[in-house]
């Protein structure tokens, strides 16, 4: 077997995806069940238990514990049915849209998890908009059918009406709430009945049967049986066949019903997912053209940087999505931004909060590298001829605050902490257009990021700070040279600042103030940031 064919085979069996959902829909639970079925853990509960344990041992996590949210995200790799699955765990809290956005750039498909009692929720919509923009295939898992749920047909209708998404139910629930017994798999025409377990810690017992009237009558009450029959007739009568190409373009979503907590439908979902989700294929380049995943040379991009993930290893980990070729330890690559050659020696695979060193990885995989200072978010890494992936857009910040170091003796640590938080993409940093004292202005998408920044500066860099909220809500690029920007005529409640690359940015309190500035400076383009969080 040639080296290339091993690479092609390894790429073909990779599935790299993220789960998107509104907080509380059951993402942690589903993740855990996928790991259970993938054999990566043996008893469900381990991941949450680890999380809890980590919350106790890590200062970093104290804030997370207080707020009951997940700030960090990890990459989980497991094998199932001959596939290598990379599950990119996205933070669930709505304040972390930026981080989630960057994670979705590294995924080849996404699973949209919906609480069947609630349907499409605000955060689902936001994240869906990002998937739609990227045109990535989207799988839908309707969760919590073991609780009283909305009518399944109504839920499908909502996906079509609210998200404008075509739907194709892969299976259909028999009963809901107390009456939920299992799901009917449409392709095999078999009913999968599950044994209900209190916490679904181990795999659920399954019995596969037909949908004969007498079978249904033994399982659920007459009304549930009738509803089930009618829905099936409706679906089969509609006669639509599944359009794989439309799914690959993200226009049609296969829908699965189940209950993550009781393991109902989890395995059926996983079996179809690995069969239908695309392996890594092509990545577009900034200059046009693309790289193929099974090209031999290594390429990838940094989509996330995280410092001090673990107090036992106070370092910074850059997460790289491999787009082509293969990684071997000590591989020497170039960083397109700096032109520098970097030896990739400290590579690691992370699983929950444990890390192990990694020798080999293939396109589609995500590898953490602990090379201090070598990487920034969006960096393209490559072997061979230079290449560059499109830049990762910065989100338009919506909340602003100046941050003051209250202990002047720790100036260096303050400046270093701010710079590192900026490189991680945890905050955007602006400086007053004129002025000497270093009192940066932080810009964030979600307000909670300000609190996290303050907390981390104190716990990781030993710097006490004061956050002074500023009334701005809009940041615009001032497309002008230094002197024209300085001469900009702004309303009194607006502020001219510099971003970290020295570019002029104007901050406004309202659209109205922006409109005024546009009228006063018709010759200057006040341009929005490249990426706006989809509403
Ligand atoms: P998230 O990561 O999306 O925020 O959600 P998470 O998995 O933490 O689940 C949120 C709550 O929903 C949890 O309950 C979880 O047990 C429950 N849940 C998840 N999947 C299902 C399901 O299929 N059916 C039912 N009935 N509940 C489900 P909790 O009370 O907040 O926590 P816990 O004490 O149960 O862990």
């Amino acid at each position: 077997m040639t080296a290339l064919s091993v690479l092609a085979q390894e790429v073909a069996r990779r599935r790299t995806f993220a789960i998107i959902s509104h907080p509380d829909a059951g993402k942690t639970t589903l993740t855990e069940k996928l790991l259970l079925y993938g054999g990566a853990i043996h008893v469900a509960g381990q991941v949450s238990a680890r999380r809890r344990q980590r919350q106790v041992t890590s200062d970093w996590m104290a804030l997370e514990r207080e707020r009951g949210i997940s700030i960090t995200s990890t990459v989980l790799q497991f094998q199932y049915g001959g596939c290598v699955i990379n599950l990119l765990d996205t933070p669930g809290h709505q304040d972390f849209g930026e981080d989630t956005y960057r994670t979705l750039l590294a995924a080849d498909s996404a699973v949209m998890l919906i609480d069947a009692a609630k349907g499409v929720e605000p955060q689902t919509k936001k994240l869906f908009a990002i998937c739609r923009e990227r045109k990535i295939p989207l799988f839908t898992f309707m969760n919590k059918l073991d609780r009283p749920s909305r009518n399944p047909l109504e839920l499908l209708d909502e996906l079509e009406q609210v998200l404008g998404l075509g739907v194709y139910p892969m299976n259909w629930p028999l009963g809901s709430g107390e009456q939920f017994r299992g799901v009917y798999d449409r392709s095999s025409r078999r009913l999968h009945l599950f044994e209900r377990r209190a916490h679904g810690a181990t795999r659920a017992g399954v019995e596969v049967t037909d949908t004969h009237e007498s079978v249904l009558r033994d399982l659920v009450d007459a009304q549930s049986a009738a509803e089930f029959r009618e829905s099936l007739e409706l679906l089969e009568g509609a006669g639509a066949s599944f359009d794989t190409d439309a799914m690959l373009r993200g226009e049609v979503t296969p829908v699965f019903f189940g209950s993550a907590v009781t393991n109902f439908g989890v395995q059926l979902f996983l079996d179809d997912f690995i069969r239908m989700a695309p392996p890594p294929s092509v990545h577009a380049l900034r200059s046009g053209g693309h790289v193929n995943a099974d090209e031999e040379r290594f390429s990838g991009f940094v989509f996330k940087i995280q410092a001090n993930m673990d107090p036992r290893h106070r370092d910074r980990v850059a997460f790289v999505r491999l787009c082509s070729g293969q990684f071997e330890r000590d591989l020497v690559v170039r960083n397109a931004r700096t032109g520098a050659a970097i030896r990739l020696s400290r590579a690691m695979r992370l699983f929950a909060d444990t890390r192990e060193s990694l020798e080999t990885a293939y396109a589609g995989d995500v590898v953490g590298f602990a090379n201090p200072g070598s990487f920034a978010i969006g960096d393209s890494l490559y072997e061979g001829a230079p290449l560059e992936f499109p830049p990762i857009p910065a989100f338009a910040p919506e909340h602003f605050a100046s941050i003051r170091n209250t202990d002047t003796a720790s100036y260096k640590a303050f400046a270093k902490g701010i710079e590192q938080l900026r490189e991680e993409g945890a905050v955007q940093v602006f400086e007053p257009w004129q002025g000497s004292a270093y009192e940066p202005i932080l810009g964030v998408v979600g307000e909670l990021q300000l609190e996290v920044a303050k907390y981390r500066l104190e716990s990781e860099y030993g710097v006490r700070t004061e956050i002074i909220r500023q009334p701005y809500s809009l940041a615009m690029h001032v497309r002008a040279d230094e002197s024209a920007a300085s001469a900009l005529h702004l309303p009194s409640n607006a502020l001219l600042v510099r971003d970290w690359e020295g570019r002029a940015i104007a901050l406004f309190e309202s659209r109205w103030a922006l409109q005024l500035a546009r009228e006063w400076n018709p010759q200057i383009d006040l341009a929005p940031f490249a990426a706006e969080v989809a509403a």
Side-chain angles (χ1 to χ4, degrees):
M1 212 183 294
T2 67
L4 188 62
S5 76
V6 170
L7 171 63
Q9 284 177 31
E10 288 293 342
V11 169
R13 70 192 193 105
R14 261 132 180 105
R15 301 288 181 273
T16 301
F17 77 106
I19 301 177
I20 61 169
S21 61
H22 193 84
D24 249 19
K27 185 152 59 83
T28 311
T29 311
L30 180 65
T31 300
E32 206 167 71
K33 299 311 165 80
L34 294 177
L35 294 175
L36 175 70
Y37 279 86
I41 57 174
H42 298 295
V43 181
Q46 287 184 347
V47 175
S48 342
R50 277 175 200 246
R51 274 196 183 176
R52 271 193 288 278
Q53 188 185 2
R54 176 167 155 186
Q55 284 165 5
V56 174
T57 54
S58 155
D59 288 339
W60 209 107
M61 289 295 126
L63 185 70
E64 182 185 32
R65 188 180 60 223
E66 280 163 25
R67 303 295 299 241
I69 55 162
S70 167
I71 293 171
T72 56
S73 63
T74 40
V75 182
L76 302 164
Q77 189 181 66
F78 61 97
Q79 305 222 5
Y80 181 79
C83 285
V84 176
I85 300 179
N86 295 307
L87 170 50
L88 310 178
D89 187 13
T90 53
H93 194 274
Q94 57 187 9
D95 265 6
F96 288 82
E98 263 185 290
D99 211 12
T100 308
Y101 180 88
R102 293 190 283 253
T103 298
L104 284 172
L105 291 182
D108 294 322
S109 60
V111 171
M112 179 163 70
L113 179 69
I114 290 180
D115 181 334
K118 296 188 173 145
V120 175
E121 294 181 83
Q123 185 75 346
T124 332
K125 271 199 232 172
K126 266 192 183 180
L127 295 166
F128 167 75
I130 297 168
C131 295
R132 161 126 307 170
E133 191 187 298
R134 285 206 54 219
K135 298 187 168 55
I136 57 173
L138 194 63
F139 295 75
T140 302
F141 191 91
M142 293 286 181
N143 192 28
K144 306 198 185 182
L145 264 291
D146 60 305
R147 287 235 194 103
S149 309
R150 285 170 50 188
N151 180 303
L153 287 170
E154 196 186 296
L155 288 166
L156 296 185
D157 198 45
E158 188 178 52
L159 294 184
E160 288 186 323
Q161 302 301 325
V162 176
L163 303 181
L165 187 62
V167 293
Y168 187 90
M170 301 295 292
N171 60 28
W172 202 254
L174 174 62
S176 82
E178 279 301 309
Q179 290 270 316
F180 185 44
R181 296 290 177 266
V183 292
Y184 171 73
D185 179 40
R186 291 179 68 198
S187 64
S188 64
R189 296 172 181 272
R190 306 292 280 169
L191 189 58
H192 292 239
L193 302 172
F194 298 93
E195 199 183 304
R196 203 182 275 236
R197 302 246 167 108
H199 297 295
T202 52
R203 289 161 168 247
V206 182
E207 187 195 336
V208 179
T209 175
D210 58 28
T211 54
H212 200 272
E213 200 59 53
S214 60
V215 177
L216 295 186
R217 216 179 305 128
D218 283 349
L219 292 168
V220 288
D221 62 28
Q223 191 191 341
S224 297
E227 277 174 13
F228 175 76
R229 283 223 166 280
E230 277 164 28
S231 302
L232 275 193
E233 275 165 23
L234 210 67
L235 290 179
E236 302 307 336
S241 59
F242 184 68
D243 182 344
T244 304
D245 290 336
M247 178 202 73
L248 292 175
R249 291 193 301 270
E251 291 164 10
V252 168
T253 181
V255 181
F256 300 82
F257 291 87
S259 155
V261 89
T262 56
N263 303 339
F264 280 32
V266 171
Q267 187 164 12
L268 272 173
F269 164 73
L270 200 48
D271 287 338
D272 279 341
F273 174 78
I274 59 166
R275 186 170 58 77
M276 299 163 76
S281 59
V282 296
H283 267 86
L285 295 174
R286 185 174 193 168
S287 55
H290 59 262
V291 284
N292 282 315
D294 57 6
E295 270 175 47
E296 219 164 328
R297 60 138 162 190
F298 170 99
S299 71
F301 63 89
V302 178
F303 68 95
K304 181 181 172 68
I305 291 185
Q306 193 149 10
N308 309 330
M309 288 176 73
D310 183 338
R312 286 168 302 178
H313 311 263
R314 285 219 172 257
D315 54 13
R316 294 208 300 162
V317 180
F319 290 90
V320 174
R321 152 78 201 225
L322 270 61
C323 298
S324 69
Q326 173 174 351
F327 161 78
E328 301 277 359
R329 191 150 71 96
D330 287 331
L331 183 75
V332 177
V333 299
R334 264 190 204 281
N335 183 336
R337 178 177 55 91
T338 60
I342 303 165
R343 179 180 298 277
L344 300 176
S345 48
R346 293 177 60 203
M348 59 189 91
R349 188 192 313 274
L350 291 104
F351 187 89
D353 66 346
T354 60
R355 42 168 84 182
E356 58 187 54
S357 74
L358 181 96
E359 301 294 323
T360 312
Y362 297 92
D365 289 342
V366 166
V367 183
F369 293 108
N371 288 49
S374 305
F375 304 116
I377 283 180
D379 280 359
S380 303
L381 309 178
Y382 62 88
E383 247 185 323
L387 65 72
E388 208 174 345
F389 295 103
I392 295 182
F395 273 79
E398 292 167 24
H399 302 277
F400 298 85
S402 22
I403 182 160
R404 185 174 297 158
N405 177 11
T406 54
D407 170 14
T408 43
S410 58
Y411 170 76
K412 267 194 176 165
F414 175 65
K416 182 176 171 209
I418 295 277
E419 175 59 11
Q420 295 208 341
L421 290 179
R422 184 192 70 71
E423 284 179 17
E424 273 182 49
V427 288
Q428 295 185 43
V429 181
F430 304 99
E431 284 179 40
W433 187 251
Q434 269 151 355
S436 47
Y438 184 60
E439 190 173 304
I441 294 173
L442 307 183
V444 294
V445 176
E447 273 186 280
L448 189 60
Q449 283 170 265
L450 291 172
E451 224 177 295
V452 172
K454 179 178 164 63
Y455 180 86
R456 290 188 54 189
L457 283 168
E458 186 164 343
S459 68
E460 293 168 24
Y461 301 92
V463 189
R464 283 181 185 275
T465 57
E466 188 185 348
I467 298 254
I468 305 134
R469 294 299 304 269
Q470 302 292 333
Y472 314 110
S473 61
L474 264 177
M476 307 300 283
H477 283 288
V478 181
R479 301 236 190 271
D481 63 20
E482 184 83 10
S483 64
S486 299
L488 195 68
H489 182 22
L490 288 175
S492 60
N493 55 359
L495 185 69
L496 188 66
V497 294
R498 281 177 205 284
D499 73 3
W500 50 98
E501 288 180 10
R503 292 173 301 197
I505 307 284
L507 307 182
F508 297 96
E509 287 185 16
S510 64
R511 295 232 158 249
W512 183 81
L514 166 63
Q515 184 54 33
L516 205 58
R518 282 187 165 140
E519 282 167 21
W520 289 351
N521 307 274
Q523 74 290 3
I524 290 183
D525 182 19
L526 295 172
F529 278 55
E532 306 263 1
V533 183

